Amino acid sequence: MLPWKRWLRPLAALALTAAAVLTPAATASAAPTAQATASSGWNDYSCKPSAAHPRPVVLVHGTFANSVDNWLVLAPYLVNRGYCVFSLDYGQLPGVPLIHGLGPIDKSAEQLRDFVDKVLAATGAPEADLVGHSQGGMMPRHYLKFLGGADKVNALVGIAPDNHGTTLLGLTKLLPHFPGAEKFLNDKTPALADQIAGSPFLTRLNEGGDTVPGVRYTVIATRYDQVVTPYRSQYLDGPNVRNVLVQDLCPVNISEHVAIGTIDRIAFHEVANALDPANATPTNCGSVIN
């Protein structure tokens, strides 16, 4: 057994990481209801895509978040630009309110499949675009690869997605030193176990290549990500892929994992560019006012 002092720093880091991940969920109790978002054009099933923006946008939240709190800034940002915007809750666990994205990721992908079908039926559009944060940027790849999503999705934009898993700053390597820890994760929070680098879920997802034909992929990352580490593990390889580091666009950007998906206008400008590449405009530090 290692002396307790050797565990103090990694355990403290783990606590800080958990706090960072849980930050969006803390706003959930004060978040607007689905009905309120619909009244402002978000989750409005009467919305019909325009000629300028012919595809509905489906927002896919991250772990420990929900369909509202993750998107309090990005959803109105896109609605104000003329998009039909929708968001779903997925990965719910029994008895756990408000915070989702915790169930088995393959099952969450089935929920996404059903939600996209619902959105396409309501809007009459043949395809949707997906924008996801963290797990929400990676989980749709299972839908695209194994559940027929490639025929119904034009583009996937991942904001800080854990496409190749995470080491949590190396902390996941400590799990074998805690008897029962890995089993606890698998049993109680399957999505967390699925997102560890090298997990069976990710191994299957990435076998044979990162992408599927017919879908455009964009990854938007920050070098200061403390949850999906190393940050370059977020990047995808393959045709129709664009990997973006926000610090290459604005060197003074200090967003970490939570901020890049919830409040970062530099990242959101790149989302808009990815959704409408024909009308893309340069992203720089001034994009925060656009």
Side-chain angles (χ1 to χ4, degrees):
M1 179 67 69
L2 295 173
W4 70 269
K5 286 186 178 180
R6 293 185 62 181
W7 294 107
L8 184 59
R9 181 172 294 178
L11 289 177
L14 180 59
L16 289 172
T17 299
V21 175
L22 286 166
T23 298
T27 66
S29 60
T33 64
Q35 290 79 9
T37 60
S39 69
S40 65
W42 169 21
N43 281 332
D44 177 5
Y45 285 88
S46 67
C47 185
K48 299 300 180 184
S50 65
H53 301 303
R55 292 174 299 275
V57 177
V58 174
L59 304 178
V60 190
H61 66 74
T63 310
F64 293 115
N66 62 51
S67 62
V68 176
D69 67 11
N70 213 144
W71 307 120
L72 291 173
V73 179
L74 181 58
Y77 179 95
L78 294 175
V79 168
N80 291 338
R81 282 155 178 77
Y83 289 93
C84 293
V85 179
F86 302 86
S87 61
L88 78 155
D89 286 312
Y90 70 87
Q92 302 91 332
L93 291 181
V96 182
L98 298 178
I99 57 173
H100 306 312
L102 298 173
I105 296 181
D106 57 347
K107 300 301 181 184
S108 294
E110 293 176 5
Q111 292 179 272
L112 175 61
R113 174 197 62 196
D114 295 344
F115 187 80
V116 170
D117 285 348
K118 178 182 176 181
V119 168
L120 294 182
T123 60
E127 290 183 315
D129 289 327
L130 308 181
V131 178
H133 177 213
S134 192
Q135 180 191 163
M138 175 272 290
M139 176 270 280
R141 292 179 51 225
H142 184 92
Y143 163 56
L144 298 177
K145 189 170 186 177
F146 299 115
L147 301 176
D151 292 332
K152 300 177 182 180
V153 172
N154 169 70
L156 170 60
V157 184
I159 308 172
D162 48 349
N163 282 314
H164 298 95
T166 179
T167 67
L168 268 180
L169 297 173
L171 293 177
T172 58
K173 297 179 181 179
L174 301 179
L175 287 174
H177 296 284
F178 292 88
E182 291 175 290
K183 184 178 186 303
F184 179 85
L185 280 179
N186 276 296
D187 292 347
K188 301 299 183 181
T189 53
L192 297 184
D194 285 345
Q195 292 176 82
I196 294 174
S199 71
F201 172 83
L202 286 167
T203 298
R204 179 171 182 254
L205 178 65
N206 291 315
E207 281 178 344
D210 293 346
T211 64
V212 297
V215 179
R216 290 188 295 104
Y217 296 83
T218 302
V219 172
I220 304 170
T222 171
R223 71 170 72 253
Y224 302 119
D225 200 310
Q226 82 286 30
V227 175
V228 182
T229 60
Y231 75 84
R232 290 185 180 86
S233 68
Q234 301 173 26
Y235 293 165
L236 295 172
D237 290 319
N240 295 321
V241 169
R242 181 169 184 254
N243 295 310
V244 179
L245 186 68
V246 292
Q247 283 77 28
D248 287 342
L249 305 174
C250 178
V252 298
N253 187 304
I254 59 171
S255 286
E256 39 63 66
H257 184 78
V258 173
I260 193 175
T262 56
I263 61 173
D264 188 343
R265 292 298 185 105
I266 303 296
F268 295 169
H269 191 265
E270 276 300 293
V271 169
N273 282 346
L275 294 175
D276 188 9
N279 294 296
T281 58
T283 302
N284 52 46
C285 295
S287 299
V288 296
I289 63 174
N290 292 339

